[in-house]
Structures are given as structure tokens and as C-alpha cells.
Amino acid sequence: MSAEGAEPGPGSGPGPGPLCPEHGQALSWFCRSERRPVCAACAGLGGRCRGHRIRRAEERAEELRNKIVDQCERLQLQSAAITKYVADVLPGKNQRAVSMASAARELVIQRLSLVRSLCESEEQRLLEQVHGEEERAHQSILTQRVHWAEALQKLDTIRTSLVGMLTHLDDLQLIQKEQEIFERTEEAEGILDPQESEMLNFNEKCTRSPLLTRLWATAVLGSLSGTEDIRIDERTVSPFLQLSDDRKTLTFSTKKSKTCADGPERFDHWPNALAATSFQNGLHAWMVNVQNSCAYKVGVASGHLPRKGSGSDCRLGHNAFSWVFSRYDQEFRFSHNGQHEPLGLLRGPAQLGVLLDLQARELLFYEPASGTVLYTHHGSFLGPLFPVFAVADQTISIVR
């Protein structure tokens, strides 16, 4: 038995109180091993607490009283600190929060007012530009109308003159008119047939504004893209790619999968995949996480894109059926129909936003983090169009 203090003897300890249910003796000792009061018999040589660490109950009680006193002092200090915090700190915090909120409101109003002013100025400038372009095209068309009206009148006069000679002159008179006939013919040949001219067309480039494009892209990706649920069509996934269960992540593998069942939709050589959704009209946007890959392509492709073989007709950006933003190591470019336009980017985007406006015939690639328009393509598309992906390093994922 290990005891703290004197070894208990029979009947030792304080007077009457709670008794040990086993020995009927006063619970005058405390067993630290079992964390309970015991009697002298329990703590003695033949008791159940033999060998335990025991001490007198009054000593344990005194120790607890000291702990309670210390705890009360700590609680009192804690209460005083809380009272001081509530009285002195929180009012200042509240006042500072009110002041900062007021300043923040003013900042928001000031900045948005500036943005509105800038947007209004840009709107006015672009509308004036559109009006000017409309007037220019209209004036060119009017000029052409006048020119061709005069040409028609001249041709009609020449024709009438020649018909008159043909019907009213005898052989000798006709021979004498040979020089006039030659001059009339030469005059008619000088009136050329109408040719297509860009001067007669409205130039859509007059609406292109870097500021408007950037604001528009930010607004679209911030609102519209949340409604697009783009997922990969597993039937199209190359055997060199692994598709996640949610059909939003593609992972490149150097080993060709043997479990992929071949089919007419599947790309069998290039590491490509098409989305399950296609677009024929309207405005669409989606975002792709590309930060883990140094070799990928993201864009759109026509459903007519060939799937079989290693030729360029199946390789994204190398045919008329695909329009893609691509990265290979530190080289970035836009590719379509075998034409590759280098993009002078200093670093790769972590996320790539894709905006497709089929009404405006525009495809735009955007970096949401910096609000930068990386590339804009204008032109006709062979629909329907599918979001298309290729990855030859690590992983890319559709964010939304």
C-alpha cells in the first residue's frame, strides 16, 4: 500500500458521517487510484485499496477548497476582464464598424458611379460610332444608286442609238456610221458590271470595345454561367483519358485504357472529349479549371468533327470543325482550321472562362481572376457546337 500521510488504523478518522457500505466505518480516507472516499479498513493491509495511493479525506477536501478558491479568483478576474471588454472595447468596435460601413458604402457608390459614368460614356461613343457607320454605309449605297442609275440611263441611250442605226440605216449609211458605232460600243464597254464592295456593308467592328467586352464577359460569367451544366459525354472520351464519376474531370494517362469500349463517337487516338450538351443558338458560358495541366485544349467543336485516326482532321484546332485555346508548356495560342495564332501570355490562367455568343458569332476566352480577355474570335460556326476538351498532362475540370 502506498499512502500519503500516516497509515490508517482501525477506527481512525473523524467522527460520525457517511459510513463505508462494506465495513460500516467512517469514510475518512480518499483513494486517488479509484477517485472515491474509503474507510480505514478499505485502505488497510487487507482492504480493497491495498497498494493504492491514499490520503486523508480532510487533506483532499482542503486541496479541493484551495482549488475552488483559486478558480473563484480566476472567474472573478475573467468576469472583470469581460465587463471591461463589454464596457470599453465593444462600444469602440461598434463605432468603428459603423464608421467603416459608412466609408465602405461611400466607396461602393463612388466606384460604381465612376463605372456607370464610364459605361455611359462608352455607350454614347459606341452608339455614335454605330450611327456614323450606318450613315456611311447608307451614303455609299445612295452614291451607288445614283451611279448605277446614270449607268443604266447611258446604256439605254447607247442601246437605243445602236438599235436605231440597225433599223433605219441602209448599208452605205451604216458603213459611214462605223466610227460612231465604235465609239458607242467603247463607251458601253467602259461601264463595268457591279462588283462586291466592303464600302457597301455595315462594318460590325465598330461595336468592338475592349472595355465593353471585358465588362460583358465578367457579367456573363458571374450570372449566366451558373445555369450551364456542362458534363462530358463518356462515349466520346479518348482511351488515353480517365473520366471522373461526376463526368466533369478528365485525367491524362500514358497507357491506353483497355476497358474502353470503342464506338463511332469515341476519339481513338487524340486525347479529346466532347461535352454531352450542344448549342445551336443563344449565349452560353462555362468555366474550366486548368491550373494543374501544362498541356490542354479548351473550346468548341462541331458535331461533324471526325473521331477516328491520327490525322489532322481529328486534331483539335487543325481543321475547320474546331476552335480552341491551347497551352503546351509556356506556349499559348488560338487554333482553328490549321491556323495558330500565338498569344503573348506571361503565365497560364488557373481558370479559363469560355463564352459562346452564337447570335453575335463570337467565341471569347477569359481569365476570371484578372478580368482579362485572352482572345476573341469572330466568324461563322458550323453548328451545332459542343464544348470540347483535350488534355495531355495531369488533369482539367469543368468548374460550372
Side-chain angles (χ1 to χ4, degrees):
M1 175 179 66
S2 173
E4 299 177 4
E7 182 178 344
S12 63
L19 301 178
C20 174
E22 183 178 352
H23 301 103
Q25 296 183 17
L27 300 173
S28 55
W29 296 86
F30 178 76
C31 177
R32 301 192 66 171
S33 299
E34 296 187 6
R35 311 266 330 151
R36 68 184 185 89
V38 297
C39 69
C42 290
L45 293 176
R48 59 180 295 176
C49 294
R50 178 186 177 186
H52 291 183
R53 297 171 60 202
I54 64 169
R55 63 185 305 181
R56 292 187 179 278
E58 60 265 27
E59 292 176 358
R60 176 59 177 167
E62 183 64 23
E63 182 183 77
L64 291 176
R65 286 190 184 93
N66 292 335
K67 284 186 176 181
I68 291 172
V69 170
D70 292 343
Q71 184 63 40
C72 287
E73 290 177 353
R74 282 194 293 271
L75 292 175
Q76 187 174 0
L77 291 173
Q78 186 178 9
S79 297
I82 292 174
T83 301
K84 180 176 177 59
Y85 179 80
V86 171
D88 299 342
V89 177
L90 288 185
K93 290 282 187 183
N94 186 63
Q95 185 176 358
R96 180 169 174 76
V98 170
S99 175
M100 291 187 70
S102 177
R105 289 188 190 94
E106 291 180 5
L107 180 64
V108 169
I109 293 171
Q110 180 186 29
R111 289 188 174 181
L112 285 177
S113 176
L114 180 60
V115 170
R116 276 192 293 269
S117 175
L118 186 61
C119 287
E120 289 170 0
S121 298
E122 188 70 353
E123 178 185 23
Q124 184 65 26
R125 184 185 73 82
L126 289 173
L127 290 179
E128 289 176 359
Q129 202 159 293
V130 169
H131 178 71
E133 176 61 19
E134 181 184 29
E135 286 294 308
R136 185 208 59 75
H138 180 64
Q139 190 59 46
S140 295
I141 293 170
L142 286 178
T143 302
Q144 286 283 300
R145 284 184 182 276
V146 171
H147 169 76
W148 291 114
E150 292 176 353
L152 285 172
Q153 186 176 359
K154 187 178 291 187
L155 288 172
D156 186 62
T157 300
I158 295 171
R159 181 178 179 277
T160 300
S161 174
L162 292 174
V163 169
M165 292 180 187
L166 185 64
T167 56
H168 296 102
L169 300 181
D170 56 26
D171 293 347
L172 183 58
Q173 291 172 323
L174 192 63
I175 292 171
Q176 292 173 339
K177 292 285 186 178
E178 182 176 358
Q179 180 62 30
E180 185 179 344
I181 294 171
F182 172 76
E183 290 174 354
R184 293 286 187 178
T185 302
E186 191 175 53
E187 185 179 4
E189 290 175 350
I191 301 174
L192 302 178
D193 292 336
Q195 301 292 324
E196 176 60 34
S197 171
E198 286 299 321
M199 294 295 293
L200 302 176
N201 299 327
F202 182 87
N203 185 3
E204 294 177 319
K205 292 181 180 179
C206 68
T207 62
R208 295 178 190 173
S209 157
L211 172 63
L212 179 59
T213 299
R214 191 178 307 116
L215 292 175
W216 173 76
T218 302
V220 170
L221 283 176
S223 57
L224 180 65
S225 62
T227 65
E228 304 282 359
D229 184 21
I230 308 295
R231 297 178 188 269
I232 306 295
D233 184 349
E234 57 187 348
R235 298 173 304 170
T236 69
V237 177
S238 162
F240 290 101
L241 298 178
Q242 296 176 2
L243 180 63
S244 62
D245 292 338
D246 64 358
R247 294 165 46 213
K248 290 198 170 193
T249 299
L250 291 168
T251 303
F252 178 70
S253 173
T254 55
K255 295 183 178 180
K256 192 173 184 179
S257 172
K258 296 181 180 179
T259 60
C260 256
D262 194 18
E265 298 90 356
R266 192 176 306 283
F267 294 95
D268 66 355
H269 179 82
W270 299 108
N272 304 339
L274 287 176
T277 307
S278 65
F279 307 120
Q280 298 192 54
N281 50 56
L283 174 63
H284 307 276
W286 57 97
M287 200 120 61
V288 185
N289 188 334
V290 293
Q291 63 182 340
N292 296 324
S293 179
C294 289
Y296 62 82
K297 294 179 181 179
V298 173
V300 295
S302 164
H304 301 297
L305 177 68
R307 319 290 173 87
K308 306 301 181 183
S310 59
S312 293
D313 56 339
C314 303
R315 192 177 181 186
L316 300 186
H318 290 254
N319 48 66
F321 304 108
S322 55
W323 300 256
V324 292
F325 175 98
S326 67
R327 174 181 183 179
Y328 183 74
D329 197 13
Q330 293 305 310
E331 293 182 6
F332 303 88
R333 61 189 185 181
F334 173 78
S335 300
H336 169 62
N337 204 20
Q339 301 296 314
H340 311 287
E341 186 169 345
L343 307 179
L345 303 184
L346 298 178
R347 58 175 180 78
Q351 290 187 336
L352 188 62
V354 184
L355 284 78
L356 176 64
D357 190 342
L358 287 167
Q359 181 178 357
R361 294 176 296 148
E362 183 172 284
L363 175 66
L364 183 147
F365 298 94
Y366 178 80
E367 184 184 24
S370 64
T372 303
V373 176
L374 303 176
Y375 188 81
T376 305
H377 172 77
H378 300 272
S380 299
F381 298 97
L382 303 173
L385 295 181
F386 294 79
V388 69
F389 312 88
V391 56
D393 172 62
Q394 302 295 318
T395 295
I396 62 172
S397 300
I398 302 170
V399 178
R400 51 177 175 160

